[in-house]
Amino acid sequence: MYICDYHVHTEFSFDCDTPVEEVIKKGISMGLNEMAFTDHVEYDIELIDFDKYLKMYNEMKNKYKDKIDILLGAEIGFQHHVIDDIEKLIDKYPFDFTILSTHTVDRLDICNGDFFKDKDLKNAYLRYFENMLESIEKFKNYSILGHLDFISRYTRDDQKLLYSDYIDIIDSILTKAIDNDCGIEVNTSGYRYGLDSVHPQVDILKRYNELGGQIITVGSDAHKSKDICADFDIAYDILKNIGFKKITTFKQRKPEFKNIP
């Protein structure tokens, strides 16, 4: 059985203070075959010194090579005004895997609520998805789209985001990702945020499958070692029930496929 977590943060992310070796040792104790470090790249918040990061990564990868395979990844917080900087970063370093995430739209932060000001929620949802589609129409240098309905973490239960309300724009995003030879992730952090769902919601995963999408990773979005592989059993069951047979792994940004555990 092949177990891997493709969305893990360490102390090198601005919102995480978990030491790298604690993360690695937790993965080893759980029997993981591999783990992708996907620390944040957020140009308007804080940037990792990737020269130093790469040195650390190579040391850790070599130190634990007989126990777990550690991949060099990044979670790219995409914004249109830094597209050239993102391209240069990805081309400069030997990433195995990159997540393209939308945390900010029109230079307004979703997490702190700035993006929602002066918008009704329906238009906020729509603009979020429009921005995502615009992003992947311009930018193709990514492996998967992260937590596609991320915005739902920051809205109220009585105004829940439903795939059925945004079918056309979400289908366009999924189709463009497939056309780009990229994929999406199943991000289990929705359960930690009290959503009782993975990201993206099951209806979106079903539609991705119907459209022929095959590249799909599973990630915990862990910022604490205790959350590595959290709720993966649920995620695997969801994928199997939809009809997926494989999950995706990456080496040097090339997808490989493994049976769902």
Side-chain angles (χ1 to χ4, degrees):
M1 185 165 63
Y2 202 89
I3 305 292
C4 51
D5 192 333
Y6 263 66
H7 195 149
V8 177
H9 294 276
T10 76
E11 61 193 306
F12 285 86
S13 287
F14 66 88
D15 57 354
C16 178
D17 58 9
T18 307
V20 169
E21 288 200 83
E22 179 182 326
V23 171
I24 295 170
K25 289 176 181 177
K26 178 64 172 180
I28 292 169
S29 73
M30 298 176 71
L32 268 66
N33 298 91
E34 61 181 274
M35 173 191 296
F37 284 173
T38 54
D39 285 306
H40 286 292
V41 175
E42 296 283 353
Y43 275 88
D44 286 351
I45 299 177
E46 183 178 349
L47 280 180
I48 295 168
D49 182 335
F50 269 97
D51 289 331
K52 291 182 179 179
Y53 189 83
L54 188 60
K55 181 180 178 181
M56 174 281 299
Y57 165 79
N58 286 329
E59 289 174 354
M60 292 296 103
K61 185 175 180 70
N62 184 64
K63 181 175 180 179
Y64 293 100
K65 64 182 180 182
D66 295 329
K67 297 181 179 179
I68 191 170
D69 190 10
I70 307 213
L71 305 182
L72 182 65
E75 182 179 12
I76 310 291
F78 188 84
Q79 296 193 69
H80 296 272
H81 69 286
V82 291
I83 187 170
D84 290 340
D85 295 311
I86 294 170
E87 290 277 15
K88 289 174 185 176
L89 178 74
I90 291 176
D91 289 341
K92 182 177 180 181
Y93 295 100
F95 292 108
D96 289 298
F97 172 71
T98 56
I99 300 172
L100 187 68
S101 292
T102 300
H103 302 129
T104 303
V105 177
D106 301 326
R107 304 188 75 165
L108 298 171
D109 193 299
I110 292 170
C111 306
N112 68 12
D114 285 351
F115 173 66
F116 296 98
K117 292 177 181 176
D118 301 319
K119 295 183 184 74
D120 64 66
L121 195 52
K122 182 175 181 179
N123 286 328
Y125 283 146
L126 181 59
R127 179 61 196 138
Y128 169 81
F129 288 122
E130 287 174 343
N131 179 81
M132 188 179 297
L133 181 58
E134 292 163 3
S135 300
I136 61 175
E137 286 175 338
K138 295 179 180 178
F139 183 80
K140 301 179 182 179
N141 206 3
Y142 65 98
S143 304
I144 58 115
L145 292 174
H147 42 49
L148 194 143
D149 57 1
F150 168 81
I151 192 172
S152 62
R153 289 184 187 176
Y154 301 96
T155 56
R156 301 191 305 273
D157 289 342
D158 62 343
Q159 293 181 298
K160 186 177 180 180
L161 170 61
L162 299 174
Y163 164 68
S164 57
D165 291 335
Y166 301 92
I167 290 173
D168 290 344
I169 187 73
I170 293 175
D171 281 6
S172 295
I173 291 167
L174 297 175
T175 300
K176 178 55 68 173
I178 293 168
D179 289 346
N180 289 346
D181 295 321
C182 301
I184 66 173
E185 76 167 341
V186 180
N187 183 310
T188 62
S189 68
Y191 291 103
R192 298 200 302 279
Y193 282 87
L195 300 177
D196 196 30
S197 173
V198 294
H199 291 298
Q201 57 194 255
V202 172
D203 285 348
I204 297 176
L205 293 173
K206 287 179 179 177
R207 185 58 177 151
Y208 180 64
N209 182 60
E210 290 170 355
L211 291 169
Q214 297 180 5
I215 296 175
I216 192 158
T217 61
V218 182
S220 65
D221 205 348
H223 289 67
K224 299 180 184 298
S225 58
K226 67 180 180 63
D227 292 324
I228 293 169
C229 289
D231 299 306
F232 272 32
D233 54 339
I234 300 174
Y236 294 148
D237 284 344
I238 289 170
L239 289 173
K240 289 175 184 175
N241 288 336
I242 290 171
F244 288 99
K245 305 296 184 185
K246 306 279 186 179
I247 55 172
T248 312
T249 61
F250 284 83
K251 292 290 187 298
Q252 298 177 341
R253 305 190 58 213
K254 296 186 182 303
E256 302 174 0
F257 297 90
K258 304 285 192 305
N259 291 329
I260 297 175

